[in-house]
Amino acid sequence: MTAAIKTIGIIGAGEVGGQLARAALTSGYGVVIANSRAPETLTDLIEDLGPGARAATASDAAAAGDIVIVAAPLSLTNTLPVDELAGKVVLDTNNYMAWRDGHFPMVDSGEKTEHELRQEHLPRSKVAKAFTHIQAPRLFLSASPPGTPRRHALSVSSDFPEAVEVVTRLYDEFGFDTVDNSPLRESWRSGPGQPAWNAHAHQTLAELAANLAAARRGIPRP
């Protein structure tokens, strides 16, 4: 069983980070959020999020979170606070986009996934790919209570069962069913251009499982 989670650290304060902060607050968690600049640049966002949220540096957000969400693109040079994230479940929301990130030869070749690279950057953390094939606004538009017919489903990939457990719990609290698409080397199956990605507007648990199974290597990414 996972330990109690009271505070979620979020590194990345763009649309994805902001919407995940709102979902976390709605579910009763405290939020400590950081961007790539400085806490004082997040004043408007914190006012919008309301009580329960505060701004911090990336290191402080990582240290404060019982779990941490990284809502920022991957770079080949690690920019994350490794020591503060050690021992923690880290949710990686990144999708590799060569037009934005530059080309990563090992990802282009299929040798590794972007989420395996994130795990290599954080060798003492438990990385899980999560929230990668849903558009940020749909975190609220597509959410529904457990047991809702044709409930929207999302996938998770990780090399650590306890990280899968954390993501499954969050998905359920945020309003989604879960398909376990572990380990991290399989995370490409929900990547850009794949059937699960293309069905991001809505797919049930059974539909998502089928879409993951139908994924094929070599599909061009947007």
Side-chain angles (χ1 to χ4, degrees), residues 143-149 151-152 168-169 171-177:
S144 60
T148 300
R151 194 186 195 202
H152 195 126
T168 300
R169 170 180 161 183
Y171 278 174
D172 193 47
E173 291 175 346
F174 288 9
F176 302 93
D177 284 339

Side-chain angles (χ1 to χ4, degrees), residues 79-91:
T79 59
L80 296 176
V82 176
D83 290 341
E84 290 83 355
L85 292 171
K88 298 186 178 185
V89 172
V90 176
L91 280 57

Side-chain angles (χ1 to χ4, degrees), residues 3-81:
I5 299 169
K6 296 181 179 179
T7 301
I8 297 178
I10 301 178
I11 299 175
E15 186 177 25
V16 173
Q19 287 293 80
L20 286 170
R22 290 180 178 87
L25 290 163
T26 299
S27 294
Y29 296 104
V31 167
V32 182
I33 189 167
N35 62 11
S36 59
R37 293 175 290 168
E40 56 267 23
T41 65
L42 294 174
T43 300
D44 290 345
L45 176 61
I46 296 302
E47 288 181 355
D48 183 53
L49 292 174
R54 67 177 176 90
T57 64
S59 293
D60 287 343
D66 297 308
I67 63 170
V68 179
I69 296 171
V70 176
L74 178 75
S75 64
L76 290 181
T77 301
N78 183 35
T79 59
L80 296 176

